[in-house]
Amino acid sequence: MPLPTSRRRFRAGIRRPRLPLLRAQGRPALATLLTASVLGGAYVVQAVAALAPHVPLLLAATALSLAVEGVLYRWQRGVPALFAKAHADVTVRHVLRDLLLVVGLLRLGEQHRETQYAPLLAGLLLCYALHCAIQAVSVLVRRTRTLPVVTRNIDASALRLSPAPPALLRRPGHRLLVFGLPATAGLTATAVTDDPRGAAAGIGLSLALALGGLVALSLRLLPGKRPAGEQEVLAWFDAWLAEYRPTVGLYFSGGPSSVYQAGMWLEPLARLDGRPLIVLRERFMVSRIPATDIPIVCLPKVPTLMRLEHSTLQVLIHPSNSGKTSQVLRIPTIKHAFVNHGESDKLSSCNPYAKAYDEVWVAGPAARERYALAEVGVEDKDVVEIGRPQLDAVRPYAGPPAGAYTTVLYAPTWEGWDGDPGNTSVIAAGENLVRALLADPGVRLLYKPHPLTGSVDPRAGAADRRVRELIRAANRARSGPRPAPSKELAARTAELDRLTAAEFREGADQAERMLVQSAPAPGRAEAVARATRAWEAAYWASLPEGEHQVVVDARPSLYSCFDTADLLVSDVSSVISDFLASGKPYAVANTGGMSEAEFRAAFPTVAAAVILTPDASGVPALLETVRHPEKDGLAGARAALKARLLGPTEPSSQERFARAVRALGETALEHRLRVPGRRPAELPGQRRERVPHTVSPAAGVTSGTPTRG
């Protein structure tokens, strides 16, 4: 079958220039500018009042600058970073504020009274010296608590972990504001009353607070108070690996918005017979991985990562590509499989990087053909069809809508990195599609945008906001009694939060979280699964009949939306491939400027879809086929496409996934047994000592001196 457009997209080696990341301008930017201007103006007024001198104006300007500082750290956190870029961080600002107060005092006082303020000035300087000392000790404490291995769901009590120091002692901006406030207040009081005792009392209190903080932090550097050192932690980690003996793991590296890519593989991994492990590279990601009982280890540095080479780990699955993936691929004792975080007809589903893995695990025959067409270096023998284990629980099609409303899920993808206008329908067709769906009084709309929508192209973010406003307006117009808050949902939410939410003290650092997130209680995973199912049932039951929803939180999941929806409207993405597991009707927006014939030829996943144009003119006819299955001429095509995209129904995807893990694990074990049995001369190795021999012509005696090979 000729697929010229598809082949051009697969072979495109040069992507379009990445669009600049623009942040939305408007009220937030105006508030930032206004706050920065007020703070800067307060210092100017304070300087003028100190030189004049003018006590009421000095007092007012000082109070205003302190008030604005408090606002910065609570509501305008971007402003301190803006000042820091101009080398006017919180320390400089605080010193300037107090210095101007001292100047005002000197200008107010008589010439012979300047000596009275010398001790006060010395005490003030000592406050700042202690502040610098606290910061230095805070850095040392943070380093002792920054371990080379971060864990979750593992008992790490042997590492002498302890609660973190108070956040006030670790944050220089907050600390200086709090500890320096008595000194500033005392200087201000002295400027008003001309009595130096107020300044002396305030500076004395600031000195006491700073000295107490320094002592409290310094005690944490004592040998018995510090967590285990680097070598001790690494030895503990090696011992844990030897005891746990992991066999299969998930390797993940990425940003905060990509955590869903790893999350979709947690349950299939947990259901394997082996001893699973999650390997992360970014420290912040440890707390972002959804609730699971699988042991999690974060190994930020490459030398620590290489310790896995000597473990029992046989297989690592990779749901995404990242720059750090190449580092773990260097471990020869582990076999690596790329499982992706979804499959579609886009270039990202057959990335040339995939040839770096030992095997590429795909859902069905269509993905195998996609790699063959793409010609990116992935050999057919390395492609293994496992289905999509995440979809085993998706409920199948059970007939037309039974209630008063037809539930439509609109789940567009994001704009992508390459600037292709056909990537997402949000920009060109989103508002038209939503208006057309909302115009039908029998439709209940679920809108679930991609988490990355608007991250590259600001037009996508703006369109997303307009779509949400359309939905809110439609809900306001669709009047009706709203039920009281569901007690059942509240109870289910509380139960699920209790099982999944980690209760950390405010200001807890990673070492403290390791202590809190120790080995989970037996049976927690099963309890979480039951609680999740109960929560989803209570959530959908609690919604007013016919009310449209914008779904952006982690709960309910995309697959739960699949079960609720009667129809999917989406783009060319993995969402439509996954939705086919239900067998329900789906539609795809064609916003790339192709004809319908070209669109179907270029993207095999839309073969069983209703194609919608950007003007959304086909929405009424689409809804008619959903409500009257006898008018649906694509049911047979959907069943055939499901088999092509996702593989057979039996055996289940989870069984095929487990079988692929076992087979690749056996290959890894065979490699470990085969390589050590070879002679050293047959193996590539490092440069080593060798002795060049010279043969005596008379006796055949060899001699020589050691040299570097």
Side-chain angles (χ1 to χ4, degrees), residues 244-502:
Y244 180 65
R245 298 184 62 79
T247 56
V248 58
L250 180 145
Y251 178 90
F252 188 73
S253 172
S257 59
S258 62
V259 68
Y260 73 94
Q261 300 173 358
M264 67 174 57
W265 285 98
L266 297 181
E267 189 172 348
L269 186 67
R271 293 204 300 262
L272 294 175
D273 292 334
R275 290 176 293 279
L277 176 68
I278 298 173
V279 181
L280 306 176
R281 301 302 307 282
E282 290 80 21
R283 295 175 183 272
F284 71 85
M285 190 63 73
V286 174
S287 60
R288 293 181 181 267
I289 295 294
T292 179
D293 285 0
I294 302 174
I296 299 175
V297 296
C298 177
L299 311 175
K301 295 182 179 180
V302 176
T304 310
L305 179 69
M306 291 299 114
R307 303 179 91 87
L308 295 177
E309 180 176 356
H310 306 291
S311 72
T312 57
L313 193 60
Q314 303 164 10
V315 175
L316 276 178
I317 64 172
H318 300 256
S320 67
N321 297 311
S322 73
K324 295 179 181 179
T325 301
S326 61
Q327 296 169 349
V328 74
L329 293 179
R330 296 166 54 189
I331 301 179
T333 57
I334 300 175
K335 294 298 180 181
H336 303 268
F338 182 57
V339 295
N340 213 336
H341 52 275
E343 293 183 7
S344 71
D345 292 321
K346 292 188 291 189
L347 180 64
S348 58
S349 290
C350 51
N351 194 307
Y353 196 94
K355 62 177 175 283
Y357 301 94
D358 295 289
E359 291 182 353
V360 176
W361 295 355
V362 300
R368 181 186 295 275
E369 297 169 10
R370 188 181 301 123
Y371 273 106
L373 284 172
E375 298 180 10
V376 293
V378 176
E379 298 186 28
D380 187 71
K381 65 180 180 62
D382 296 327
V383 178
V384 180
E385 298 174 25
I386 65 167
R388 289 276 287 162
Q390 301 87 348
L391 306 178
D392 284 350
V394 172
R395 290 200 292 266
Y397 178 66
Y405 293 95
T406 301
T407 301
V408 181
L409 171 62
Y410 178 39
T413 189
W414 67 304
E415 58 270 25
W417 299 114
D418 57 3
D420 191 324
N423 283 342
T424 179
S425 61
V426 170
I427 298 174
E431 293 172 85
N432 292 336
L433 289 170
V434 169
R435 282 195 182 96
L437 290 168
L438 296 177
D440 189 312
V443 165
R444 177 179 68 153
L445 178 62
L446 307 179
Y447 174 55
K448 187 171 180 60
H450 192 283
L452 294 178
T453 298
S455 61
V456 172
D457 190 339
R459 295 177 302 166
D464 170 63
R465 290 189 291 274
R466 291 194 296 270
V467 166
R468 298 188 192 203
E469 181 54 38
L470 286 173
I471 294 173
R472 285 192 289 268
N475 278 333
R476 289 192 295 268
R478 182 172 282 182
S479 59
R482 185 175 182 85
S486 170
K487 295 181 179 179
E488 174 72 11
L489 179 61
R492 296 301 183 185
T493 301
E495 180 187 9
L496 191 54
D497 288 344
R498 179 182 59 82
L499 291 170
T500 59

Side-chain angles (χ1 to χ4, degrees), residues 10 51 62 73 76 127 249 291 380 383 430 438 504 551 559 639 651 691-692:
F10 287 150
L51 294 173
T62 302
Y73 285 97
Q76 293 288 332
C127 283
D380 187 71
V383 178
L438 296 177
F504 297 125
V551 183
Y559 302 141
V691 180

Side-chain angles (χ1 to χ4, degrees), residues 142 171 179 185 239 343 458 465 546 548 569 625 631 634 678:
R142 184 174 68 248
R171 299 173 182 171
F179 286 7
E343 293 183 7
R465 290 189 291 274
H548 310 295
V569 178
T625 62
K631 299 180 181 181
L634 294 172
R678 294 178 177 171

Side-chain angles (χ1 to χ4, degrees), residues 46-278:
Q46 191 183 16
V48 172
L51 294 173
H54 192 284
V55 174
L57 192 60
L58 180 63
L59 180 62
T62 302
L64 178 61
S65 67
L66 284 171
V68 174
E69 289 281 2
V71 170
L72 293 185
Y73 285 97
R74 187 163 184 84
W75 293 293
Q76 293 288 332
R77 297 190 177 184
V79 178
L82 186 65
F83 276 102
K85 291 180 180 179
H87 298 283
D89 61 10
V90 64
T91 304
V92 173
R93 296 197 302 273
H94 204 86
V95 170
L96 179 60
R97 185 185 302 113
D98 288 350
L99 179 62
L100 290 174
L101 284 172
V102 171
V103 170
L105 289 175
L106 294 177
R107 294 281 294 164
L108 286 168
E110 299 176 2
Q111 190 72 20
H112 69 277
R113 295 178 61 189
E114 293 183 3
T115 56
Q116 296 181 8
Y117 297 109
L120 300 180
L121 184 59
L124 194 61
L125 293 175
L126 183 57
C127 283
Y128 291 119
L130 287 175
H131 166 71
C132 294
I134 292 174
Q135 185 59 25
V137 176
S138 175
V139 171
L140 293 176
V141 171
R142 184 174 68 248
R143 289 180 178 176
T144 63
R145 297 180 61 83
T146 303
L147 306 183
V149 178
V150 182
T151 66
R152 187 175 131 192
N153 297 335
I154 298 174
D155 183 4
S157 57
L159 301 180
R160 302 191 302 277
L161 302 177
S162 61
L168 184 64
L169 298 179
R170 308 195 320 262
R171 299 173 182 171
H174 290 73
R175 182 179 65 242
L176 189 56
L177 279 175
V178 174
F179 286 7
L181 184 60
T184 303
L187 290 170
T188 305
T190 298
V192 174
T193 63
D194 199 25
D195 186 350
R197 289 179 296 179
I203 292 173
L205 181 55
S206 290
L207 282 173
L209 291 173
L211 188 60
L214 180 61
V215 171
L217 279 177
S218 300
L219 290 175
R220 290 180 172 270
L221 295 177
L222 296 175
K225 298 291 185 179
R226 292 197 303 262
E230 180 175 359
Q231 294 306 315
E232 188 177 351
V233 172
L234 293 177
W236 169 86
F237 178 59
D238 290 340
W240 179 84
L241 284 174
E243 179 182 0
Y244 180 65
R245 298 184 62 79
T247 56
V248 58
L250 180 145
Y251 178 90
F252 188 73
S253 172
S257 59
S258 62
V259 68
Y260 73 94
Q261 300 173 358
M264 67 174 57
W265 285 98
L266 297 181
E267 189 172 348
L269 186 67
R271 293 204 300 262
L272 294 175
D273 292 334
R275 290 176 293 279
L277 176 68
I278 298 173

